[in-house]
Amino acid sequence: MASATRPATETRSISPLIQRSAWKALKTHFDSIREVHLRELFAKDPSRGERMTVDGAGLFLDYSKNRITGDTVKLLLQLAEELGLAARIEAMFRGEKINVTEKRAVLHIALRAPKGSSIVVDGANVVPEVHAVLDKMEAFADRVRSGEWKGHTGKRIRNIINIGIGGSDLGPVMAYEALRHYSDRSLTFRFVSNVDGTDFAEAVQDLDPAETLFIISSKTFTTLETMTNAHSARDWSLAGLGGDEKSVAKHFVAVSTNSSEVAKFGIDTANMFEFWDWVGGRYSMDSAIGLSTMVAVGPENFRAMLDGFHQMDEHFRTAPFERNLPVLIGLLGIWYNNFFGAHTVAVLPYEQYLKRFPAYLQQLTMESNGKHVTLDGAHVDYATGPIYWGEPGTNGQHSFYQLIHQGTNLIPCDFIAFTETLNELGRHHDMLIANVFAQTEALAFGKTAEQVKSEGTPDWLVPHRVFEGNRPSNTILADRLTPQTLGKLVALYEHSVFTQGTIWQINSFDQWGVELGKALAQRIIPELENAVEPALKHDSSTNNLIRRYRQRRQKP
Ligand code: F6P
């Protein structure tokens, strides 16, 4: 939605981005480099493997296996400069309302600002509020973890279920899985998001309501899925606790910006953990939305995670762009997306605990940068956010890597690995890491027909066994997956999304694209449930599907 004073969309045949001199220079440069093989780049410049690396905030990035030269980096940095990236970063950190369509500041960086710092929104310093909520979360987490917080019947809480969706689910579930090693194993954590009743039914089927606490996490507290699950949770809890409404106060807490809806639901607002409209859902895992994370890993670990986020924030804000991890990763993404025409990015964590990291990144990247108009409402005439996907290594190697190695799509990959494992087990870790390095090497350098022939391969089989190589990748290495490292990793991608959104001149902080489906579902729900056959006014396909569902549905 554009501002009230501007038309919602305006058509411009050529957007300023592709007219910019840095963009044009990149295009010319691309034409000269598009066919150059990584084999040649490494042969001509044998030290690039050491030089094209950056250490930032404790993360190490090797970006040498990208189809770039020093000139490419210079031109990409020039593009960032022309688009005013430095000023945009400052605007975000100053609390300016850069989310123009919702007229909001974008201040996830305030969630991890140290006590005593100051970030002003609408005349008020928000940092003390952030720390007040953190302290409240800490007191609550300690009570649950120590067993002091009792359920309605006096039993201690042993099961914590976070109910939320999107940013109110993906961050908590990803962080819980990522930090499981640090979690209190005497507590059970589950995450319910889908409006499909199976999600809730399976989450509670072996649990005792007397020992189960629900955290209802929703920024708006109006989201269909979350409110439906929250009501089912209340019914389940009440049914198991003799129907006493007073039990709700012991078994339900809320995380929201909307205290009136929380109160309407029946949760005492004393048991509500607040956050603010300047925190986007997909940027909220380090706000009170991370309450389940804090209960799982303890306040100290949660604060260590915040410190990791903050270290990456400072790196992003202060490091020169040529040594700035989020900027470099963001710009390399632009290079493949907009010049090579790569439509997707694979994120491949070689760390089992990061198994939900690609799913988390999907919302972060695609809800942020899946936009078709610029900040001023003009239709873009260049590609914006690519599709992010991935699986933890080595599992992906035995499924989709075939396509990355020998298929016809160019898929830039981010490999993420740790030099230390949290579960030392024989030779497992060396094998795991050998696979990371082997994959990036194979993708970059491939195997020529000559090499294949020299192995005695019959001529007819040679083409099938050739690896063209020239498949680009980044390798991100950290020492060990700690709460602090997780904070750094998430902030790295948050800021690389920001960098890309700045170049594409889009609003990375709204998500109007989810609205239409929500509205249509509200219209269709009664058409499915009405006892009387409704008069349907959809297209013939939708009408027919609704009729078929009504005819065949066997209500229990
Ligand atoms: O999918 C749209 C969206 O608004 C996300 O941006 C958000 O994370 C999710 O729904 C959940 O919203 P809420 O926290 O308000 O329930």
Side-chain angles (χ1 to χ4, degrees):
M1 197 172 75
S3 103
T5 55
R6 274 194 301 264
T9 53
E10 108 201 16
T11 342
R12 258 193 325 227
S13 54
I14 304 176
S15 99
L17 176 59
I18 63 174
Q19 288 175 336
R20 290 189 181 261
S21 57
W23 191 271
K24 287 183 183 161
L26 273 164
K27 178 75 186 77
T28 308
H29 172 68
F30 170 71
D31 291 337
S32 72
I33 200 180
R34 64 192 304 171
E35 303 298 341
V36 178
H37 201 287
L38 277 163
R39 284 181 208 128
E40 191 184 329
L41 292 174
F42 271 84
K44 278 196 184 144
D45 176 10
S47 69
R48 65 183 271 141
E50 288 104 54
R51 212 182 52 255
M52 288 186 169
T53 62
V54 183
D55 259 306
L59 299 186
F60 176 79
L61 167 68
D62 175 352
Y63 63 97
S64 64
K65 293 192 185 91
N66 280 292
R67 292 169 68 172
I68 56 170
T69 62
D71 285 344
T72 322
V73 177
K74 264 189 222 138
L75 289 169
L76 286 168
L77 293 171
Q78 198 180 312
L79 181 70
E81 200 172 302
E82 276 189 29
L83 269 299
L85 178 61
R88 282 288 287 177
I89 295 172
E90 280 314 304
M92 172 169 73
F93 276 76
R94 264 200 311 272
E96 279 178 29
K97 297 196 173 168
I98 59 171
N99 175 356
V100 288
T101 60
E102 297 179 314
K103 301 189 173 69
R104 288 177 182 165
V106 173
L107 274 180
H108 39 280
I109 52 102
L111 299 170
R112 51 265 191 158
K115 227 178 200 157
S117 53
S118 169
I119 299 170
V120 176
V121 182
D122 293 330
N125 180 9
V126 297
V127 179
E129 289 178 59
V130 166
H131 283 272
V133 173
L134 278 172
D135 292 345
K136 184 173 170 182
M137 290 165 66
E138 177 163 346
F140 172 77
D142 282 342
R143 288 181 71 195
V144 175
R145 287 165 63 83
S146 68
E148 187 195 325
W149 181 288
K150 300 273 190 297
H152 184 60
T153 64
K155 281 190 175 179
R156 69 173 288 181
I157 296 298
R158 299 205 175 274
N159 317 308
I160 291 97
I161 303 189
N162 185 78
I163 294 184
I165 198 162
S168 301
D169 167 71
L170 287 162
V173 72
M174 181 279 286
Y176 171 68
E177 292 296 345
L179 301 179
R180 209 174 183 149
H181 178 77
Y182 304 88
S183 69
D184 181 340
R185 305 293 180 135
S186 69
L187 297 173
T188 297
F189 289 83
R190 302 226 169 121
F191 300 84
V192 174
S193 51
N194 199 336
V195 77
D196 182 339
T198 299
D199 202 8
F200 181 79
E202 285 293 337
V204 296
Q205 58 85 25
D206 57 344
L207 303 185
D208 175 359
E211 299 182 335
T212 303
L213 175 86
F214 291 93
I215 302 177
I216 312 298
S217 297
S218 175
K219 182 174 170 180
T220 53
F221 230 72
T222 55
T223 305
L224 171 96
E225 291 89 339
T226 301
M227 297 328 295
T228 306
N229 279 317
H231 281 103
S232 297
R234 200 168 63 168
D235 293 347
W236 177 84
S237 182
L238 280 172
L241 294 169
D244 185 349
E245 288 280 341
K246 279 207 255 34
S247 66
V248 172
K250 296 283 173 51
H251 293 270
F252 284 80
V253 299
V255 179
S256 188
T257 58
N258 190 344
S259 51
S260 61
E261 284 299 323
V262 169
K264 244 191 253 169
F265 179 83
I267 295 178
D268 185 349
T269 47
N271 293 336
M272 168 179 155
F273 299 83
E274 193 196 356
F275 65 118
W276 306 272
D277 70 359
W278 41 261
V279 183
R282 53 194 173 274
Y283 297 87
S284 68
M285 61 167 275
D286 49 339
S287 71
I289 288 291
L291 186 61
S292 58
T293 316
M294 194 192 265
V295 176
V297 301
E300 204 176 311
N301 280 320
F302 193 84
R303 288 187 193 267
M305 182 181 81
L306 296 183
D307 178 54
F309 271 102
H310 180 65
Q311 285 187 42
M312 186 53 76
D313 295 343
E314 286 301 295
H315 170 78
F316 181 51
R317 188 182 194 176
T318 60
F321 286 168
E322 67 274 15
R323 308 208 56 76
N324 192 313
L325 268 80
V327 171
L328 287 171
I329 290 183
L331 292 175
L332 288 165
I334 301 270
W335 178 236
Y336 294 116
N337 189 61
N338 295 99
F339 295 92
F340 281 90
H343 299 302
T344 83
V345 176
V347 182
L348 309 163
Y350 277 64
E351 168 55 72
Q352 185 64 20
Y353 286 122
L354 288 181
K355 65 180 182 192
R356 297 287 287 163
F357 194 62
Y360 171 78
L361 279 190
Q362 286 184 327
Q363 188 198 11
L364 178 66
T365 58
M366 296 202 268
E367 207 174 62
S368 295
N369 283 343
K371 306 292 160 65
H372 72 297
V373 294
T374 59
L375 287 163
D376 62 5
H379 207 289
V380 294
D381 44 13
Y382 42 84
T384 60
I387 298 154
Y388 278 75
W389 58 287
E391 276 289 318
T394 56
N395 300 12
Q397 289 174 209
H398 297 271
S399 92
F400 54 79
Y401 277 43
Q402 165 64 36
L403 185 148
I404 306 181
H405 281 288
Q406 285 190 316
T408 52
N409 290 290
L410 181 73
I411 301 176
C413 301
D414 285 355
F415 288 84
I416 302 171
F418 298 86
T419 53
E420 300 290 333
T421 172
L422 296 171
N423 293 293
E424 203 63 68
L425 188 62
R427 296 170 59 218
H428 283 244
H429 196 60
D430 291 340
M431 289 185 189
L432 176 73
I433 300 305
N435 273 282
V436 179
F437 300 159
Q439 287 301 324
T440 68
E441 189 176 17
L443 287 168
F445 302 104
K447 199 170 184 185
T448 62
E450 291 65 46
Q451 287 171 305
V452 175
K453 271 185 211 157
S454 72
E455 290 167 353
T457 309
D459 282 356
W460 65 268
L461 193 53
V462 169
H464 299 273
R465 301 199 59 170
V466 164
F467 287 69
E468 287 170 349
N470 220 11
R471 268 72 167 162
S473 66
N474 289 314
T475 304
I476 299 164
L477 273 183
D479 288 343
R480 134 192 285 254
L481 179 56
T482 61
Q484 199 185 55
T485 316
L486 181 68
K488 291 175 188 181
L489 257 184
V490 174
L492 168 66
Y493 280 96
E494 285 178 349
H495 298 321
S496 109
V497 162
F498 181 92
T499 299
Q500 297 185 337
T502 299
I503 303 294
W504 291 321
Q505 300 171 285
I506 56 178
N507 185 358
S508 304
F509 303 104
D510 60 10
Q511 58 285 320
W512 301 104
V514 299
E515 295 302 325
L516 179 60
K518 279 191 200 170
L520 290 178
Q522 288 300 346
R523 180 174 152 202
I524 293 173
I525 291 166
E527 293 172 341
L528 300 182
E529 291 182 334
N530 273 354
V532 181
E533 183 81 30
L536 297 174
K537 293 197 178 112
H538 303 272
D539 58 277
S540 61
S541 161
T542 311
N543 286 344
N544 193 41
L545 288 166
I546 292 170
R547 275 190 216 109
R548 185 173 175 87
Y549 178 83
R550 286 182 60 92
Q551 277 159 14
R552 302 195 62 88
R553 166 103 161 112
Q554 292 164 8
K555 292 231 179 195

